Amino acid sequence: MSSTRDIDKLIEMMARLPGLGPRSARRAVLQMIRKRGQLLAPLADQMAKVAASARECLNCGNIGTEDVCDICLSEKRATGEICVVQDVSDLWAMERGGAFSGRYHVLGGTLSALDDIGPEDIRIPQLVARINNEGVTEVILALNATVDGQTTAHYIADQLEGRVRITSLAQGVPIGGELDYLDDGTISAALKARRSI
Amino acid sequence: MSSTRDIDKLIEMMARLPGLGPRSARRAVLQMIRKRGQLLAPLADQMAKVAASARECLNCGNIGTEDVCDICLSEKRATGEICVVQDVSDLWAMERGGAFSGRYHVLGGTLSALDDIGPEDIRIPQLVARINNEGVTEVILALNATVDGQTTAHYIADQLEGRVRITSLAQGVPIGGELDYLDDGTISAALKARRSI
Ligand SMILES: [Zn+2]
Ligand SMILES: [Zn+2]
């Protein structure tokens, strides 16, 4: 069926996105085609716009549309606090909670001897450099309560010991839990009840 | 956060697709941005291509990229059999089954007194016209085993009585079941065991 090849290809591409399989990709594409004027064409435009402009913040690793992200540029966010997270999705989860007013440092992963991921692979040297550059007084380790997350937290705490206050999210983060799956209220509560390591 | 507005807008648009919610839209967009060269830009291109070319077949209601779809254009599919389905997703499900070699007629809905949907709203006059035009000998009613689907099937059977052989999918379609959720083997079996009404 040569003339439907473009539609089949779109379904295949959609099916590769996380959370979508072949069936939901077919349903989504059919829905988009039915509303191609209001839905498919604007979505294509928006994707092209984001594909052309999205990039990682050179300072913190957050995703934005400029070399340095809004949060790093905002003087209001220069509170002396840096919240260290594993992924941008965790940063988004923190921002939805709305309880944190400082800046972030996105590692993009965790230390892992098994996968040969060392400190320089997850932007730890950049974090250490930011402590002086930005007059940081507190580093909040908001890493997942997994083995790799906690190993990484301990490593960072060792590196920064004696230079800044180091805290971690405490109350409310379940054992083995991932930040992005928590409700916003839980994240706020965990932030407020943070403790020194 | 003005510079992430484009990313937020993309997430909102993705979240409106069937099968995706806010969380899966965020994960999908994050994944697309991480792989923006291989994933986001090509997906945007493909969507734009489909948005510009996708249309309903003027003959059968199938979706394709020309005024008349591949199946209607193919002489191989002129078997004298027309399979009547509710939606394009059902046509796709039949094609995946691979057991049907004739043509289709996509109603785009079912009769519904409640919603004031009559025969002319679901392309039934066009189906009647095709019986003569295309030398049709058998109409296979492959409608969902729901009340509205069966009401529609009976109405069409009444309209065509005495003019062609009328059959329906039989064995294998569960009561209340929808075609698009059946596995391909079940659809093939139901087609092979079809019975006269
Ligand atoms: Zn930044
Ligand atoms: Zn057609």
Side-chain angles (χ1 to χ4, degrees), chain A residues 83-84 94 138-145 150 153 165-177 179 182 185-197:
Chain A
C83 179
V84 177
M94 291 290 297
E138 179 175 352
V139 169
I140 302 165
L141 299 171
L143 297 171
N144 292 326
Q150 292 310 301
R165 184 174 181 224
I166 305 164
T167 58
S168 68
L169 297 190
Q171 200 184 28
V173 181
I175 302 299
L179 284 189
L182 296 182
T186 304
I187 289 184
S188 302
L191 181 76
K192 281 186 194 116
R194 67 188 186 267
R195 57 186 163 74
S196 290
I197 291 182

Side-chain angles (χ1 to χ4, degrees), chain B residues 30-185:
Chain B
L30 207 51
Q31 171 84 339
M32 289 192 290
I33 289 176
R34 283 200 195 102
K35 304 187 174 177
R36 54 193 173 275
Q38 311 102 289
L39 199 55
L40 189 52
L43 188 53
D45 286 349
Q46 196 61 27
M47 281 188 177
K49 203 184 277 186
V50 170
S53 64
R55 70 197 77 181
E56 285 183 1
C57 172
L58 297 174
N59 193 46
C60 77
N62 184 17
I63 280 172
T65 51
E66 305 292 338
D67 281 341
V68 178
C69 77
D70 289 334
I71 295 175
C72 286
L73 284 176
S74 167
E75 272 309 311
K76 280 187 197 155
R77 308 288 302 238
T79 60
E81 296 168 313
I82 286 189
C83 179
V84 177
V85 292
Q86 181 180 322
D87 278 315
V88 174
S89 56
D90 300 324
L91 185 160
W92 289 353
M94 291 290 296
E95 287 293 287
R96 286 197 302 279
F100 180 66
S101 56
R103 288 178 178 158
Y104 293 93
H105 196 76
V106 181
L107 299 176
T110 52
L111 294 175
S112 168
L114 210 65
D115 298 325
D116 200 25
I117 298 175
E120 61 294 330
D121 297 317
I122 58 169
R123 314 166 53 90
I124 290 179
Q126 290 92 322
L127 173 63
V128 175
R130 287 181 68 188
I131 303 301
N132 292 326
N133 297 346
E134 299 182 35
V136 175
T137 54
E138 179 176 352
V139 169
I140 302 165
L141 299 171
L143 297 171
N144 291 324
T146 56
V147 172
D148 281 346
Q150 292 311 301
T151 303
T152 307
H154 284 298
Y155 179 87
I156 293 172
D158 282 348
Q159 296 297 303
L160 302 180
E161 206 184 346
R163 302 183 54 191
V164 285
R165 182 173 183 228
I166 304 166
T167 58
S168 68
L169 296 190
Q171 199 184 28
V173 181
I175 302 299
E178 300 197 341
L179 285 188
D180 193 30
Y181 285 91
L182 295 183
D183 64 288
D184 305 346

